[in-house]
Short mmCIF file of all heavy atoms in Angstrom, two decimals:
data_model
loop_
_atom_site.label_atom_id
_atom_site.label_comp_id
_atom_site.label_asym_id
_atom_site.label_seq_id
_atom_site.Cartn_x
_atom_site.Cartn_y
_atom_site.Cartn_z
N LEU M 1391 -43.84 115.14 111.36
CA LEU M 1391 -44.59 113.88 111.27
C LEU M 1391 -44.37 112.94 112.39
O LEU M 1391 -43.40 113.10 113.16
CB LEU M 1391 -44.18 113.18 110.03
CG LEU M 1391 -44.59 113.73 108.64
CD1 LEU M 1391 -43.89 113.04 107.49
CD2 LEU M 1391 -46.10 113.78 108.42
N ARG M 1392 -45.27 112.05 112.69
CA ARG M 1392 -45.12 111.10 113.71
C ARG M 1392 -43.99 110.09 113.44
O ARG M 1392 -43.66 110.00 112.23
CB ARG M 1392 -46.42 110.29 113.94
CG ARG M 1392 -47.46 111.22 114.55
CD ARG M 1392 -48.85 110.43 114.88
NE ARG M 1392 -49.81 111.16 115.52
CZ ARG M 1392 -49.94 111.35 116.80
NH1 ARG M 1392 -49.00 110.74 117.62
NH2 ARG M 1392 -50.86 112.11 117.28
N ILE M 1393 -43.45 109.38 114.41
CA ILE M 1393 -42.47 108.45 114.11
C ILE M 1393 -42.87 107.35 113.23
O ILE M 1393 -42.11 106.88 112.30
CB ILE M 1393 -41.89 107.92 115.47
CG1 ILE M 1393 -41.23 108.92 116.29
CG2 ILE M 1393 -40.94 106.79 115.24
CD1 ILE M 1393 -40.68 108.59 117.57
N ARG M 1394 -44.15 106.87 113.30
CA ARG M 1394 -44.65 105.83 112.46
C ARG M 1394 -44.55 106.30 111.07
O ARG M 1394 -44.10 105.58 110.17
CB ARG M 1394 -46.06 105.50 112.88
CG ARG M 1394 -46.79 104.52 111.94
CD ARG M 1394 -48.15 104.38 112.34
NE ARG M 1394 -48.30 103.85 113.77
CZ ARG M 1394 -49.47 103.68 114.30
NH1 ARG M 1394 -50.53 103.99 113.76
NH2 ARG M 1394 -49.53 103.26 115.58
N SER M 1395 -45.02 107.56 110.74
CA SER M 1395 -45.00 108.08 109.35
C SER M 1395 -43.60 108.21 108.90
O SER M 1395 -43.24 107.99 107.76
CB SER M 1395 -45.86 109.32 109.27
OG SER M 1395 -47.13 109.14 109.80
N LYS M 1396 -42.61 108.77 109.76
CA LYS M 1396 -41.24 108.85 109.40
C LYS M 1396 -40.62 107.54 109.09
O LYS M 1396 -39.85 107.44 107.98
CB LYS M 1396 -40.46 109.61 110.45
CG LYS M 1396 -40.95 111.02 110.71
CD LYS M 1396 -40.01 111.65 111.79
CE LYS M 1396 -40.37 113.06 112.09
NZ LYS M 1396 -39.62 113.70 113.15
N LEU M 1397 -40.83 106.56 109.92
CA LEU M 1397 -40.29 105.24 109.72
C LEU M 1397 -40.74 104.66 108.30
O LEU M 1397 -39.99 104.22 107.45
CB LEU M 1397 -40.49 104.32 110.79
CG LEU M 1397 -39.79 104.51 112.18
CD1 LEU M 1397 -40.22 103.64 113.19
CD2 LEU M 1397 -38.26 104.43 111.88
N LEU M 1398 -42.02 104.72 108.16
CA LEU M 1398 -42.70 104.15 106.95
C LEU M 1398 -42.13 104.88 105.73
O LEU M 1398 -41.73 104.38 104.82
CB LEU M 1398 -44.22 104.22 106.95
CG LEU M 1398 -44.96 103.67 105.78
CD1 LEU M 1398 -44.62 102.20 105.49
CD2 LEU M 1398 -46.46 103.77 106.00
N GLY M 1399 -42.17 106.24 105.72
CA GLY M 1399 -41.80 107.03 104.56
C GLY M 1399 -40.26 106.84 104.39
O GLY M 1399 -39.78 106.73 103.22
N ALA M 1400 -39.50 106.81 105.53
CA ALA M 1400 -38.05 106.74 105.20
C ALA M 1400 -37.72 105.42 104.60
O ALA M 1400 -36.86 105.30 103.74
CB ALA M 1400 -37.30 106.96 106.58
N TYR M 1401 -38.19 104.30 105.18
CA TYR M 1401 -37.84 102.97 104.69
C TYR M 1401 -38.32 102.85 103.18
O TYR M 1401 -37.63 102.36 102.39
CB TYR M 1401 -38.54 101.84 105.44
CG TYR M 1401 -37.81 101.52 106.73
CD1 TYR M 1401 -38.33 101.60 108.00
CD2 TYR M 1401 -36.47 101.04 106.68
CE1 TYR M 1401 -37.63 101.36 109.15
CE2 TYR M 1401 -35.85 100.57 107.79
CZ TYR M 1401 -36.34 100.89 109.11
OH TYR M 1401 -35.66 100.45 110.16
N SER M 1709 -42.47 97.97 108.02
CA SER M 1709 -42.59 99.30 108.71
C SER M 1709 -43.61 99.18 109.70
O SER M 1709 -43.50 99.81 110.79
CB SER M 1709 -42.80 100.37 107.66
OG SER M 1709 -41.70 100.38 106.77
N LEU M 1710 -44.79 98.65 109.38
CA LEU M 1710 -45.87 98.53 110.31
C LEU M 1710 -45.45 97.68 111.57
O LEU M 1710 -45.80 98.09 112.67
CB LEU M 1710 -47.08 97.84 109.61
CG LEU M 1710 -47.80 98.67 108.55
CD1 LEU M 1710 -48.97 97.84 107.91
CD2 LEU M 1710 -48.28 100.02 108.96
N TRP M 1711 -44.66 96.72 111.28
CA TRP M 1711 -44.25 95.82 112.44
C TRP M 1711 -43.30 96.68 113.33
O TRP M 1711 -43.44 96.51 114.61
CB TRP M 1711 -43.54 94.58 112.00
CG TRP M 1711 -42.97 93.76 113.05
CD1 TRP M 1711 -43.65 92.98 113.95
CD2 TRP M 1711 -41.60 93.64 113.35
NE1 TRP M 1711 -42.76 92.33 114.83
CE2 TRP M 1711 -41.51 92.81 114.48
CE3 TRP M 1711 -40.48 94.28 112.93
CZ2 TRP M 1711 -40.29 92.40 115.12
CZ3 TRP M 1711 -39.28 93.92 113.42
CH2 TRP M 1711 -39.17 93.02 114.55
N ILE M 1712 -42.31 97.38 112.71
CA ILE M 1712 -41.49 98.22 113.49
C ILE M 1712 -42.22 99.30 114.30
O ILE M 1712 -41.90 99.56 115.47
CB ILE M 1712 -40.42 98.84 112.65
CG1 ILE M 1712 -39.40 97.73 112.05
CG2 ILE M 1712 -39.60 99.94 113.26
CD1 ILE M 1712 -38.42 98.25 111.07
N ASN M 1713 -43.18 99.89 113.68
CA ASN M 1713 -43.99 100.89 114.35
C ASN M 1713 -44.59 100.23 115.65
O ASN M 1713 -44.59 100.95 116.72
CB ASN M 1713 -45.04 101.43 113.41
CG ASN M 1713 -44.46 102.34 112.38
OD1 ASN M 1713 -43.51 102.93 112.55
ND2 ASN M 1713 -45.17 102.37 111.11
N ALA M 1714 -45.20 99.03 115.47
CA ALA M 1714 -45.84 98.38 116.58
C ALA M 1714 -44.91 98.17 117.73
O ALA M 1714 -45.18 98.16 118.89
CB ALA M 1714 -46.54 97.22 116.21
N VAL M 1716 -41.83 99.64 118.26
CA VAL M 1716 -41.01 100.87 118.72
C VAL M 1716 -41.91 101.96 119.26
O VAL M 1716 -41.65 102.51 120.35
CB VAL M 1716 -40.18 101.31 117.59
CG1 VAL M 1716 -39.45 102.55 117.94
CG2 VAL M 1716 -39.18 100.35 117.03
N VAL M 1717 -42.90 102.35 118.60
CA VAL M 1717 -43.77 103.49 118.93
C VAL M 1717 -44.48 103.32 120.33
O VAL M 1717 -44.47 104.23 121.12
CB VAL M 1717 -44.67 103.87 117.84
CG1 VAL M 1717 -45.66 105.01 118.24
CG2 VAL M 1717 -43.99 104.22 116.52
N ARG M 1718 -45.03 102.10 120.44
CA ARG M 1718 -45.85 101.87 121.74
C ARG M 1718 -44.88 101.95 122.96
O ARG M 1718 -45.30 102.80 123.88
CB ARG M 1718 -46.48 100.44 121.62
CG ARG M 1718 -47.69 100.41 120.69
CD ARG M 1718 -48.23 99.12 120.51
NE ARG M 1718 -49.25 98.98 119.56
CZ ARG M 1718 -49.68 97.83 119.16
NH1 ARG M 1718 -49.32 96.67 119.66
NH2 ARG M 1718 -50.67 97.81 118.14
N LEU M 1720 -42.16 103.57 123.22
CA LEU M 1720 -41.84 105.11 123.33
C LEU M 1720 -42.81 105.81 123.94
O LEU M 1720 -42.52 106.76 124.73
CB LEU M 1720 -41.38 105.58 121.99
CG LEU M 1720 -40.05 105.04 121.39
CD1 LEU M 1720 -39.84 105.68 120.01
CD2 LEU M 1720 -38.91 105.43 122.30
N ARG M 1721 -44.16 105.62 123.73
CA ARG M 1721 -45.23 106.36 124.26
C ARG M 1721 -45.33 106.18 125.77
O ARG M 1721 -45.45 107.01 126.55
CB ARG M 1721 -46.57 105.96 123.52
CG ARG M 1721 -46.76 106.53 122.15
CD ARG M 1721 -48.03 106.09 121.60
NE ARG M 1721 -48.28 106.66 120.28
CZ ARG M 1721 -49.31 106.39 119.49
NH1 ARG M 1721 -50.11 105.37 119.80
NH2 ARG M 1721 -49.34 106.95 118.27
#
Side-chain angles (χ1 to χ4, degrees):
L1391 290 174
R1392 293 181 176 272
I1393 293 180
R1394 177 184 300 175
S1395 302
K1396 289 181 179 178
L1397 289 174
L1398 179 59
Y1401 278 120
S1709 299
L1710 293 178
W1711 175 75
I1712 290 179
N1713 287 333
V1716 174
V1717 175
R1718 290 176 186 172
L1720 286 178
R1721 285 179 179 172

